[in-house]
Amino acid sequence: MRIVILNNSDDVAAYGAQLIIRQIQTKPDSVLGLATGSSPMKLYDKLVEAVAAGDVSLSQCVSFNLDEYVGLAPDHDQSYRSFMQKHLFERVDIRIENTHVPDGLALDPEDMCAQYEQAIRDHHGIDFQLLGIGANGHIGFNEPSSSLRSRTRIKTLTMQTVEDNARFFRADEFQPELAITMGIETIMESRQIMLLATGEHKAAAVKAMIEGPVSASCPASILQFHPKATIVLDTAAAGQLENTQFYQRVEQEAQKFEAK
Ligand code: F6R
């Protein structure tokens, strides 16, 4: 794991954006795995700026989102398809037909999940997967106790996740407690992974992910097995780590090496 600790969420977004921009510049037809939620929002703003400035183009990229709520239509305000349209897809030059988000209204969800996996395989896998982390250590909507070998499927959300995400829903609005999510093994097959975490409320999950045992109790801990995973944190999210100085020293050395 490459562990990068930065001062604040703006720096995290800038660093993350640079990594994803470099990926697309190197491989313009990159297959991107994308996330919703608060964590990637500033990064998406920076990507929008870079496209507007002509520094990068998503016109040949293909994207697969991690997850979607069961029971929400794509045009529902709180659907993850709507989130992506609003925060990224409608603001950059990606072709909408190249963007994939699981269908929350699929009549045969099992078949839809199998087709989602097949579509990823048809595009030769995900080059670069962007992740956030839940306060309980989930990635995608793979909640604690999810199989570390899981594939795309329907999952029941924990009450903590439902409560954490309640801020996006009006008090009188239906909030789903089921989601379709890429599986942990699906995520792990990505060639490169970058996870962003900011804020003190993520500090315990970040510690379990980086310094805890690999365990289904903290699904994100599986990233310890990934050969190319970068974890980008602000100091608040890194607040419970025990070996911070070591990670900072390794990162300084890595940057010196890359600058050569
Ligand atoms: C979103 C997703 C989730 C979030 C996680 C963190 O597509 O898959 O795993 O990344 O719940 O959410 P935020 O970023 O809102 O704290």
Side-chain angles (χ1 to χ4, degrees), residues 5 199-208 210-212 233-244 247:
I5 303 171
E200 202 183 340
H201 61 300
K202 298 291 176 74
V206 164
K207 178 171 173 51
I210 296 173
E211 294 177 343
L233 307 170
D234 68 358
T235 45
Q240 291 188 26
L241 292 174
E242 276 167 36
N243 297 317
T244 303
Y247 308 137

Side-chain angles (χ1 to χ4, degrees), residues 10-68:
D10 287 334
D11 292 350
V12 167
Y15 186 101
Q18 268 321 304
L19 223 60
I20 201 163
I21 288 167
R22 226 176 298 143
Q23 164 70 35
I24 302 167
Q25 286 169 338
T26 310
K27 186 172 185 274
D29 59 349
S30 287
V31 179
L32 305 173
L34 298 176
T36 58
S38 310
S39 305
M41 276 166 67
K42 286 185 185 172
L43 179 152
Y44 290 152
D45 289 343
K46 299 216 175 291
L47 200 49
V48 169
E49 281 166 26
V51 171
D55 295 339
V56 72
S57 167
L58 275 68
S59 60
Q60 295 178 57
C61 289
V62 171
S63 72
F64 286 91
N65 263 79
L66 283 164
D67 38 25
E68 179 60 283

Side-chain angles (χ1 to χ4, degrees), residues 134-200:
N136 62 6
H138 71 215
I139 46 175
F141 273 138
N142 296 285
E143 300 283 34
S145 81
S146 288
S147 162
L148 298 178
R149 301 293 304 271
S150 52
R151 314 291 318 186
T152 303
R153 70 212 183 291
I154 291 190
K155 284 296 290 176
T156 305
L157 304 179
T158 61
M159 283 325 288
Q160 182 180 355
T161 299
V162 171
E163 282 158 22
D164 285 350
N165 289 348
R167 66 190 193 280
F168 294 113
F169 292 83
R170 287 194 318 270
D172 62 341
E173 205 170 24
F174 163 67
Q175 184 184 354
E177 295 184 8
L178 295 178
I180 302 148
T181 180
M182 271 189 208
I184 295 180
E185 195 164 66
T186 320
I187 293 169
M188 286 293 284
E189 284 170 359
S190 310
R191 286 182 271 282
Q192 185 174 350
I193 294 180
M194 177 175 70
L195 182 146
L196 308 183
T198 57
E200 202 183 340

